[in-house]
Amino acid sequence: MGIPIRVMVNGQLESLQVEPDESLLAMLRERLDLTGAKEGCNEGECGACVVLLDGKAVNACLVLAAEADGREVTTIEGLGRAGALHPLQRAFLAHQAVQCGFCTPGMVMTAAALLRENPDPSEAEIRTALSGNLCRCTGYRQILDAVLTAAKEMRAAGERSPR
Amino acid sequence: MTPARWVGQDVARVDGLEKVTGAARYLADVKLPRMLYAHVVRSPHAHARVHAVDVSAALRVPGVRAAVCGRDFPFHVGIYLMDQTVFAIDRARFVGDPVAAVAAESPEAAREAAERVRVEYEPLPALFDVRKAIQPDAPLVHPDLGRYKVVPWITPQAGTNICNHLKVRKGDYDAAIRTAARVFENTFVVPQVQHVPMEVHGSAACMDLSGKLQVLSSAQSPFTVRHLLCACFGLSHGDVRVTVPHVGGGFGGKAGINLEPIVTALAMRVPGRWVRLVLSRAEEFYAAVVRQGLVATLTTGVDDRGKVIAQKMHYLWDCGAYGGYGVNVVRAAGYTCGGAYEFPNVWGDSIGVYTNRPVGSAYRGFGMQEIHWALEQQMDMVAREIGMDPIEFRLKNCLGPGKRTVTGQLLDEHAGRVDLCIEKVAKAFREPLAERPGKLRGRGLACAVKAPAMPNDAASSVVLKFCEDGVLEVLVSGIDYGQGLRTVAAQFAAEALSLPVDQVRVRNLPDTDLSPYDWQTVASRQTWATGNAIFKAAEHCKAQLFGMASEVLGVPAERLALDNGQVVDTAGPGRVPIQRLVMGYQFPDGHVIGGPVAAAAHHVPEGLLFLDPATSQSSKPVAKWTFGAQGIEITVDPDTGQIQVDRVVACYDVGRVVNPGLILGQTYGGVVQGLGTGLMEELKIDGGSGKAQNATLVDYKIPTALDIPAALEASFIETPQKDGPMGARGIGEHTMIPTPAALANALYAACGVRIQEMPLTAEKVREALKKKRPKG
Amino acid sequence: MRRILEYQKARSIDEALALWREAPSARYLAGGTDLLPRARAGGASPGRLVDIKGIPELAAIEELPSGDIAIGAAVSVAAVAAHPAVRRRFPALALCASALGSYPLRHRATVAGNICNASPCADTAAALLCLDAYVRCASPSGTRRISIHEWFLGPGQTSLAPGELAVAVELPAAAAGGRAELGRISRRQGVDIATVAVLLVAVPGADRRHRVAMLSVAPTPRRVPEAEDLLDRMGASAAAQAAQAAMSAAQPIDDVRGSAAYRREMVGVLLQRAARALGAD
């Protein structure tokens, strides 16, 4: 009795039946076991649920699963893995920008989206883009340094963030 | 300082990869088979008798498998004072107090069932102001206070709303204050705030068909959870297993026991089924624990040379509706009431008071940020009144080797040097303050000190064991919820056994069945306690390795040492890789000596002595002190009252920096959390209904990446802690302790207004400026 | 019981209107950034959501032959803030759109949704009021244009008829080319609803040169003609008087974000600063 949707998640086509009030976040976490995106507030205030929707950073808690029909979603699980980390993931590790790690997937995805649009952001632009991702542990400094480092590395390598 | 291979290095987090790839599983990420969803029915009244709870309609909702209430589990729970029951039974004491709970096959069914639980309440007069709650005619929040079980070193006053009262009596305050050249008295106020961990509280429980209870919880203390659950439900430790997945921030709020009794109660009704409760963010704000509020009055008497000769502290702590854990905050604040200073004559009263507000509990700093808000402003105010530079005044009065704390404890040369911290910070602000047109600028400094507030027998233990290929496994039950404990443990283990650090695995398996006892991960104690246990266990491993190697190499064990994965003869050429020893050693003729190398060890604080019940005097009440100082430079917009934090400089005497990147992370994170409480955080409770008015991230604001200062600098002094692992102390809480007071002192320097109530909102600053200069 | 019972995606305006008509308590869904949190909190439970983001006419920002710019109802706030023609010709809207919410939120929130939600704090409303915008709306009886000045009726209330769909927000060419200064006070530097905000726009060559709007100090976002008159007549030297006029026109309340007194005072401070910054002349 659900709504049938076809959505590309991390490069893989998923055919699902979703409920009308089911959020994209719940769909990713419960149906696809992609638990990297977190529920922190369920009202778009904390950024822990940020994923890319057609390449743009969005709060997955405020997108209905049904709205993702025909779209492409990228989560932290699609960004990189051990042995093939994204430069942002490498930089977060190198700068100790990870403490409890709960905000990390959302933070990295927001940064990834930013760097797609703006490969050479100023620190002020990074702060603005990340200001919707709350972190209670790090005080943000090492996160900002990580994004600056990753941006530099990506420009040097001419890389583009994966779709 | 002992030279080191791994300690002091920027070793990468051992759990970084799983966190940065999204592989790390937190409570709500763990898929539990056929899990039931729990929903709690909460009192809408701040204070009310509970006459009847009827769950029959809830049980009829399709998909509901259990519905329970207070009378089904009339058991008390609490870590120091057992003043709470699993659910409110005949009295609800705050808006949000759990009255019943349901478990159902879907979250929607659980929510609907919860809505159908019928509760008959009779509202009672409620208390929201600690100053009213302490009045003799105030209604009692806990009429049965005299009958609750309590540890011997906490003193609730039956027949009142006082859940604990610690008295500090050092020297002769009355005599000394009469001889003071000048006396100053000021009152300071701190509201309740919430921890706001990014991961809300969540717990799950399953009682299997053999009667064994399994609990999975986002918690800081699996063993304490087990212990308190058993004490509550009358279970044997042997039949309860508590495990902890990755934890998304704790900050004290996940210490002790929280949701576990509720999920346990439900699980008992549905044997074989997992029951999981995850709070909503709104519930996290008002129904999970908060930090106590404080009204502090300080009286300072100085002589004519600027020495404080008499100090009085009166702390009224708003503990909220229950004080099970918070009573120890009252105590710790009491015995630390002198802060970083030597006060020869002290009269201190730290009083915990019940109100019908959310429940106060452990919060990073454990009362220290609150009392330093008062003390560090008082020191500034007194200095300025007597015409002394606030830094000189601090240096003149600060603690150090040879000085005594308010409990009479004599500090030795290992205690840490707050004077050096102050001087380091002051030096960073030597250039004149640059002006900004139309704005006011100022600098302020505040000191910090804290000791772990833990029972005298709080233990950490460790098991070390080797894999066949020589990888060292470290089992701890300390929780790494971001502070980096597992990484620090790996560094200590690698150091102690001279292994490459990537040959060490600190298992993420806090499991009361499998990993060794640890009291709690609180109090900035883990680096110190677990570190010490690691070194002790390593010695046992070494003895086993050397015992075998001695036979293998044919040299006395005293000549042997470990070097980068080998046992070496320090006086000869013999060496044997530890891989050849870790499972025992087989000689060419076939006989075997030794066996799998493993060791367990613990660390318990040594020689801690109870405080005298009447005076709180004790020569060794706590295991260690960590001192520090912060200086903050701000810009104030006089027309709007907004404060911009330009620069924070922090310096702490940590004994030994174990990992520079991690300690910077603790410093930045603590400072920013301190800026949050100092500038913008307050849990607002309606004074009529007791309902939280801002239980949402929309209206309870914490700092974002745009709110951090442009410059944040940290430095560390290393006066070795004599009983610390390679001299290390603790630092996790200290970095947020002085921040709000330093802000307030900077505000005064910038524009001459003194605000004694946290937080320093723009509106408060503007009001204070207008009062000061009526023309605006 | 689920709060949202049905989700339907409309492919055309007519289909959206029909889907609304046939379902009880249907709501149009654009970004959902207000609608979804409210539905979850137990308020405004829509029986059916009609997703309008698949309607081609609503998806674009168009520069019309008249020189007006029409912003489709499904266009994100981020797209509006970044659009070159909006930034060049109507910088006030780019400013206000950039101040709304957070970076991820701006990829979903829409200008139309912002004004349909009609909070007294609606960020884009300040710009739309200063620019004399129109809202083009569709209903079974046809299309009409509602002036933004007739749009806001009260907190959360607009002059949209039941089932009427906001299709585009139109920025008139007559208000183009101005400069804008936004003063915004919130509880922290990062993402926050405005405790109080004042927008000053100066449009050279227009009938009314100065436009002042304020947020969070009245039941609806509000223009301040008294202040505008003073600035038009006397330029920057009237900044203090204009500020007084704005303060008198404000009707702030005490709430969890701030007191009425502080809000009123800040209206004056922000307007004076905006006037100085703009060098009103």
Side-chain angles (χ1 to χ4, degrees):
Chain A
M1 209 177 32
I3 301 167
I5 64 167
R6 287 159 62 85
V7 52
M8 188 77 81
V9 181
N10 297 332
Q12 199 156 326
L13 188 60
E14 304 283 351
S15 290
L16 302 162
Q17 301 262 353
V18 299
E19 299 298 332
D21 62 349
E22 182 176 335
S23 68
L24 174 62
L25 180 64
M27 185 202 92
L28 292 167
R29 290 175 51 79
E30 306 304 327
R31 292 187 194 275
L32 300 178
D33 199 34
L34 293 168
T35 57
K38 309 294 181 202
E39 180 178 317
C41 70
N42 215 24
E43 56 177 349
E45 283 290 324
C46 73
C49 66
V50 169
V51 299
L52 305 191
L53 183 63
D54 291 342
K56 302 263 185 229
V58 298
N59 299 106
C61 70
L62 293 184
V63 178
L64 294 176
E67 293 177 279
D69 184 34
R71 317 285 290 274
E72 287 192 33
V73 177
T74 310
T75 71
I76 187 74
E77 292 90 344
L79 200 68
R81 62 186 56 158
L85 291 177
H86 188 277
L88 277 165
Q89 290 168 310
R90 276 202 298 278
F92 267 62
L93 291 176
H95 283 274
Q96 299 280 24
V98 178
Q99 289 189 31
C100 84
F102 199 78
C103 79
T104 301
M107 195 72 77
V108 170
M109 295 315 287
T110 299
L114 170 70
L115 295 182
R116 281 169 146 262
E117 299 174 352
N118 182 355
D120 192 5
S122 65
E123 181 173 308
E125 285 169 323
I126 299 172
R127 285 181 184 231
T128 298
L130 294 185
S131 58
N133 290 78
L134 297 179
C135 173
R136 198 52 154 165
C137 296
T138 67
Y140 305 102
R141 182 67 255 165
Q142 289 154 314
I143 291 176
L144 296 173
D145 292 339
V147 178
L148 284 163
T149 292
K152 200 158 140 189
E153 186 191 314
M154 287 166 69
R155 285 196 305 276
E159 285 179 57
R160 302 208 32 113
S161 295
R163 294 211 69 224
Chain B
M1 168 157 48
T2 349
R5 177 88 190 279
W6 300 111
V7 169
Q9 300 300 314
D10 250 320
V11 170
R13 286 191 80 97
V14 303
D15 58 358
L17 202 50
E18 64 225 58
K19 288 175 174 174
V20 92
T21 55
R25 299 255 167 184
Y26 302 77
L27 192 283
D29 303 329
V30 177
K31 296 287 190 289
L32 298 165
R34 292 200 70 227
M35 178 183 79
L36 296 172
Y37 297 83
H39 199 101
V40 179
V41 179
R42 301 185 180 279
S43 170
H45 302 289
H47 200 193
R49 276 193 234 282
V50 178
H51 285 301
V53 181
D54 178 3
V55 301
S56 53
L59 284 166
R60 287 195 292 270
V61 171
V64 172
R65 301 295 176 227
V68 296
C69 69
R71 288 189 174 87
D72 299 323
F73 297 94
F75 311 134
H76 283 81
V77 64
I79 182 171
Y80 300 121
L81 170 65
M82 296 175 80
D83 64 357
Q84 195 166 7
T85 46
V86 181
F87 302 98
I89 300 179
D90 38 46
R91 187 183 280 246
R93 296 180 170 88
F94 73 104
V95 174
D97 205 349
V99 169
V102 302
E105 301 285 355
S106 71
E108 294 81 21
R111 195 168 36 233
E112 192 185 327
E115 281 163 18
R116 298 205 184 183
V117 171
R118 292 279 153 268
V119 186
E120 209 186 298
Y121 294 103
E122 179 199 331
L124 295 169
L127 294 161
F128 304 114
D129 184 336
V130 72
R131 285 165 281 206
K132 294 211 175 83
I134 202 176
Q135 297 304 318
D137 57 349
L140 293 181
V141 181
H142 286 270
D144 291 338
L145 183 55
R147 290 213 281 273
Y148 296 148
K149 288 210 188 89
V150 61
V151 297
W153 35 273
I154 297 290
T155 51
Q157 318 283 302
T160 74
N161 286 319
I162 295 173
C163 54
N164 193 22
H165 183 165
L166 185 103
K167 298 178 183 168
V168 181
R169 308 285 184 256
K170 179 189 180 194
D172 187 341
Y173 172 82
D174 286 329
I177 197 75
R178 282 196 288 272
T179 70
R182 310 243 345 240
V183 177
F184 304 94
E185 179 177 302
N186 291 293
T187 297
F188 304 86
V189 178
V190 181
Q192 286 183 320
V193 297
Q194 215 272 337
H195 310 62
V196 196
M198 284 301 101
E199 182 207 13
V200 300
H201 282 72
S203 301
C206 177
M207 176 155 268
D208 72 20
L209 298 173
S210 75
K212 182 158 172 136
L213 177 70
Q214 200 169 329
V215 175
L216 178 70
S217 193
S218 183
Q220 296 177 220
S221 322
F223 280 87
T224 292
V225 168
R226 182 177 75 172
H227 178 64
L228 296 179
L229 273 181
C230 291
C232 176
F233 290 92
L235 304 169
S236 162
H237 288 66
D239 299 327
V240 176
R241 178 183 188 183
V242 181
T243 59
V244 176
H246 279 284
V247 175
F251 309 106
K254 294 177 180 173
I257 193 162
N258 292 283
L259 305 180
E260 298 89 352
I262 290 178
V263 290
T264 296
L266 287 167
M268 287 176 162
R269 287 299 170 92
V270 286
R273 301 290 300 269
W274 277 98
V275 179
R276 186 187 80 182
L277 174 62
V278 176
L279 295 188
S280 67
R281 180 58 69 176
E283 284 176 305
E284 179 68 34
F285 274 112
Y286 68 88
V289 292
V290 303
R291 191 178 78 175
Q292 287 79 5
L294 173 65
V295 178
T297 302
L298 305 186
T299 312
T300 305
V302 288
D303 68 14
D304 55 16
R305 279 160 307 137
K307 253 194 105 41
V308 178
I309 58 170
Q311 180 87 346
K312 186 183 214 184
M313 278 74 68
H314 188 262
Y315 299 151
L316 274 184
W317 294 93
D318 181 346
C319 293
Y322 298 98
Y325 206 134
V327 287
N328 201 24
V329 172
V330 175
R331 174 176 169 268
Y335 67 63
T336 319
C337 66
Y341 308 103
E342 181 177 51
F343 296 146
N345 300 284
V346 175
W347 186 278
D349 289 279
S350 187
I351 305 170
V353 186
Y354 289 122
T355 63
N356 296 110
R357 295 173 67 106
V359 178
S361 186
Y363 178 114
R364 189 179 194 178
F366 213 67
M368 300 304 127
Q369 193 200 66
E370 301 91 289
I371 67 170
H372 282 73
W373 168 253
L375 179 59
E376 288 297 326
Q377 285 203 67
Q378 177 83 341
M379 294 303 280
D380 245 45
M381 292 160 87
V382 170
R384 288 172 184 281
E385 283 289 331
I386 65 175
M388 221 172 154
D389 172 74
I391 289 178
E392 285 315 304
F393 183 60
R394 284 179 170 81
L395 290 169
K396 195 175 180 71
N397 287 282
C398 68
L399 285 169
K403 308 269 174 86
R404 289 188 187 272
T405 70
V406 298
T407 71
Q409 179 184 10
L410 181 67
L411 298 180
D412 64 18
E413 67 278 12
H414 303 282
R417 300 285 302 277
V418 69
D419 58 329
L420 297 179
C421 296
I422 294 170
E423 283 168 357
K424 192 93 198 280
V425 170
K427 209 160 110 175
F429 288 100
R430 257 201 314 234
E431 324 90 64
L433 197 52
E435 288 190 0
R436 291 202 186 136
K439 304 278 198 284
L440 303 168
R441 305 202 69 226
R443 292 164 171 160
L445 180 134
C447 298
V449 65
K450 184 179 183 287
M454 55 189 177
N456 295 357
D457 60 356
S460 285
S461 29
V462 156
V463 166
L464 299 181
K465 60 192 180 85
F466 284 91
C467 299
E468 296 92 311
D469 64 350
V471 162
L472 175 68
E473 294 176 288
V474 183
L475 305 184
V476 298
S477 298
I479 306 299
D480 193 333
Y481 44 73
Q483 82 283 36
L485 166 66
R486 285 173 67 202
T487 306
V488 161
Q491 289 176 259
F492 281 143
E495 196 74 53
L497 289 170
S498 196
L499 294 169
V501 75
D502 58 14
Q503 210 176 307
V504 178
R505 300 283 182 277
V506 181
R507 296 300 182 205
N508 187 33
L509 204 48
D511 182 335
T512 56
D513 270 11
L514 299 175
S515 51
Y517 178 86
D518 193 290
W519 175 65
Q520 296 206 79
T521 303
V522 295
S524 310
R525 60 180 292 277
Q526 279 296 336
T527 294
W528 177 79
T530 291
N532 277 331
I534 287 173
F535 280 98
K536 284 188 203 167
E539 287 304 303
H540 299 321
C541 287
K542 269 194 215 171
Q544 293 167 57
L545 291 166
F546 290 172
M548 287 183 271
S550 166
E551 258 198 71
V552 173
L553 297 176
V555 303
E558 300 73 56
R559 269 165 59 170
L560 297 173
L562 284 173
D563 180 19
N564 202 28
Q566 303 205 317
V567 180
V568 303
D569 177 1
T570 55
R575 48 205 9 119
V576 52
I578 63 157
Q579 268 109 309
R580 301 211 49 209
L581 300 171
V582 292
M583 289 288 137
Y585 185 85
Q586 182 165 52
F587 284 91
D589 69 2
H591 86 279
V592 172
I593 59 170
V597 175
H602 61 253
H603 182 83
V604 175
E606 281 172 35
L608 299 190
L609 299 170
F610 284 137
L611 303 168
D612 179 283
T615 63
S616 294
Q617 297 303 292
S618 163
S619 59
K620 194 176 182 188
V622 295
K624 57 184 171 76
W625 297 99
T626 301
F627 291 93
Q630 278 178 22
I632 303 189
E633 188 174 288
I634 65 172
T635 300
V636 182
D637 184 331
D639 298 324
T640 65
Q642 289 168 309
I643 295 174
Q644 178 182 286
V645 181
D646 299 314
R647 189 175 173 218
V648 177
V649 176
C651 181
Y652 287 87
D653 191 336
V654 297
R656 184 77 182 249
V657 173
V658 179
N659 185 314
L662 290 180
I663 205 171
L664 278 181
Q666 287 301 291
T667 309
Y668 299 151
V671 165
V672 172
Q673 193 170 359
L675 294 177
T677 47
L679 295 173
M680 64 185 79
E681 292 184 45
E682 178 180 354
L683 187 65
K684 299 190 184 206
I685 302 291
D686 177 81
S689 66
K691 287 186 170 39
Q693 297 171 306
N694 61 337
T696 158
L697 290 170
V698 173
D699 284 321
Y700 186 108
K701 306 312 266 190
I702 69 172
T704 71
L706 279 170
D707 296 286
I708 69 171
L712 223 173
E713 301 143 42
S715 64
F716 303 97
I717 300 200
E718 292 177 301
T719 309
Q721 176 69 27
K722 67 174 178 257
D723 62 354
M726 300 186 70
R729 293 192 184 89
I731 186 62
E733 299 166 276
H734 306 71
T735 53
M736 77 173 287
I737 289 174
T739 315
L743 282 170
N745 290 340
L747 180 67
Y748 184 84
C751 56
V753 303
R754 178 64 65 185
I755 294 181
Q756 288 157 240
E757 178 162 355
M758 256 197 249
L760 299 167
T761 62
E763 194 169 324
K764 271 189 194 146
V765 173
R766 179 69 200 139
E767 278 311 298
L769 279 167
K770 284 198 309 202
K771 283 202 180 77
K772 189 176 181 300
R773 288 197 292 263
K775 294 202 292 288
Chain C
M1 186 191 329
R2 295 194 189 287
R3 298 217 164 84
I4 296 168
L5 298 169
E6 262 194 84
Y7 166 92
Q8 295 280 354
K9 189 158 184 169
R11 307 282 156 189
S12 70
I13 294 173
D14 285 337
E15 187 183 358
L17 297 174
L19 285 168
W20 186 92
R21 235 184 359 257
E22 69 184 31
S25 65
R27 297 290 301 270
Y28 297 117
L29 174 69
T33 59
D34 289 311
L35 209 158
L36 292 181
R38 273 220 313 276
R40 286 177 193 147
S45 306
R48 167 187 284 181
L49 285 178
V50 178
D51 187 351
I52 59 163
K53 294 189 293 297
I55 302 173
E57 299 97 298
L58 308 194
I61 298 179
E62 270 191 86
E63 284 195 84
L64 304 172
S66 56
D68 295 358
I69 287 187
I71 301 170
V75 175
S76 73
V77 162
V80 170
H83 196 274
V86 172
R87 293 172 71 81
R88 192 181 65 247
R89 300 178 61 215
F90 301 97
L93 183 55
L95 254 185
C96 290
S98 302
L100 186 155
S102 67
Y103 172 70
L105 203 85
R106 290 192 284 276
H107 291 131
R108 299 292 292 173
T110 64
V111 175
N114 192 222
I115 61 170
C116 284
N117 188 52
S119 159
C121 318
D123 284 291
T124 64
L128 299 181
L129 284 167
C130 287
L131 300 172
D132 302 319
Y134 287 88
V135 189
R136 190 166 8 110
C137 309
S139 72
S141 24
T143 308
R144 60 170 173 148
R145 292 166 90 231
I146 305 177
S147 164
I148 194 72
H149 302 296
E150 265 112 60
W151 179 263
F152 298 104
L153 301 180
Q157 293 167 26
T158 70
S159 46
L160 271 179
E164 194 170 13
L165 172 64
V167 157
V169 173
E170 297 177 347
L171 310 177
R179 293 162 52 218
E181 281 291 326
L182 174 65
R184 200 172 182 280
I185 295 209
S186 53
R187 295 160 292 185
R188 62 182 182 191
Q189 303 281 344
V191 182
D192 198 3
I193 293 172
T195 301
V196 54
V198 172
L199 177 69
L200 172 60
V201 179
V203 183
D207 274 347
R208 174 181 282 293
R209 270 197 330 278
H210 294 91
R211 295 107 185 281
V212 177
M214 44 190 196
L215 301 176
S216 310
V217 290
T220 67
R222 183 70 64 85
R223 282 272 295 267
V224 195
E226 309 88 328
E228 296 166 3
D229 288 339
L230 286 162
L231 290 170
D232 274 355
R233 275 192 281 122
M234 295 184 287
S237 59
Q241 286 160 278
Q244 274 302 319
M247 287 168 68
S248 304
Q251 304 161 259
I253 57 170
D254 294 328
D255 71 13
V256 73
R257 292 174 203 133
S259 72
Y262 180 72
R263 287 177 153 123
R264 189 186 301 280
E265 194 193 357
M266 289 307 108
V267 161
V269 169
L270 293 176
L271 182 53
Q272 279 206 70
R273 287 187 174 176
R276 266 185 265 126
L278 224 45
D281 57 357

